[in-house]
Amino acid sequence: MRADIRYVEERFHHFNHLIFGGKLPPIPVKMSDGVSFLGMCVAKVRRHPDGREEHYDFELRMSRRFDLSEREIEDVIIHEMIHYFIMYNELADTSSHGEIFKGMMRAINKSYGRNITISRRLSAEEKVTTASSKRSWHVVAHVRMRTGAHGVKVLPRVVPKILDYHKVVSASPEVTSIELFLTDNPFFNRFPVSAAYKVHPVGEEEMTLNLVKAARLIVENGKLIQR
């Protein structure tokens, strides 16, 4: 099955009362088409003058790209609820999955017969479609072909190579347009970085979705300018 907002909200409410004593406030749930994660609890952080950090604006994000069993989805939700509990209560853990997290995870698994893990092992098929979650900056070319196909190219972050790629590909009779972007979206981690003129096919919807927050780069008078 694939999770949806109503299901995640219902399971959050259920496990909040069953496992966390109803002490976690309701949290906004957003569904994502991301392939770099199953679930993610995020929050903003403000630092007080005394050096104390405070988490706020919590949000639970769940990917709908993975076809999982109901029990697997439940374990992902509980996993993220542990993160939420730690951040909401401002508990100082040793790391993202530190001693507090692991202690809560083991206790929940034992008491409720769950199988929550630090990170779920992906199947061979999922590994092919799942990008690394590490964020790094990429210069991305979105190339539209006369056939209607869309392609992506991750370029070296070297201005002369970017300008050369843009010039050569723009002049190709097979290309209708090329746009350049700067992004740290993990989606693009899967593509090799090179200045070769080939592109990798990507669907228009997927390309557009993953470039929503990207900064546009413009080639103007032989210079590369960020807009």
Side-chain angles (χ1 to χ4, degrees), residues 54-226:
E54 179 186 5
H55 292 82
Y56 68 103
D57 279 0
F58 295 94
E59 183 177 288
L60 176 57
R61 299 175 187 171
M62 295 288 293
S63 176
R64 55 186 157 215
R65 293 292 293 274
F66 298 93
D67 188 4
L68 306 175
S69 69
E70 183 173 1
R71 190 167 182 82
E72 286 177 312
I73 295 175
E74 288 181 340
D75 284 344
V76 172
I77 294 170
I78 299 170
H79 177 118
E80 299 310 321
M81 291 179 75
I82 297 173
H83 283 303
Y84 181 28
F85 181 91
I86 292 171
M87 288 190 290
Y88 178 74
N89 290 284
E90 303 296 344
L91 303 179
D93 207 348
T94 53
S95 66
S96 177
H97 295 103
E99 294 307 312
I100 295 177
F101 182 95
K102 288 186 286 190
M104 292 182 64
M105 178 186 72
R106 287 192 289 262
I108 291 170
N109 284 342
K110 182 178 180 179
S111 297
Y112 299 95
R114 306 305 310 187
N115 188 35
I116 305 160
T117 59
I118 296 297
S119 61
R120 174 182 172 275
R121 290 184 178 274
L122 300 179
S123 67
E125 180 180 358
E126 289 169 340
K127 287 180 180 178
V128 172
T129 59
T130 302
S132 166
S133 61
K134 180 180 178 181
R135 287 191 173 273
S136 56
W137 289 100
H138 298 299
V139 173
V140 174
H142 179 191
V143 182
R144 293 180 175 86
M145 315 299 289
R146 293 196 180 280
T147 59
H150 291 250
V152 61
K153 180 68 177 183
V154 177
L155 294 163
R157 292 172 57 190
V158 179
V159 172
K161 291 186 177 182
I162 297 170
L163 293 176
D164 177 72
Y165 183 89
H166 184 272
K167 179 180 179 180
V168 173
V169 174
S170 296
S172 171
E174 299 177 359
V175 173
T176 59
S177 69
I178 175 174
E179 295 178 289
L180 298 174
F181 298 88
L182 181 65
T183 176
D184 66 345
N185 189 334
F187 171 81
F188 296 101
N189 290 2
R190 69 183 68 186
F191 300 103
V193 178
S194 81
Y197 300 127
K198 65 178 292 186
V199 297
H200 304 277
V202 174
E204 179 180 8
E205 182 180 353
E206 189 171 28
M207 195 69 181
T208 302
L209 175 68
N210 284 287
L211 287 172
V212 168
K213 296 183 179 180
R216 187 178 294 272
L217 301 174
I218 305 295
V219 176
E220 193 173 276
N221 298 324
K223 296 181 179 180
L224 191 65
I225 303 170
Q226 182 173 331

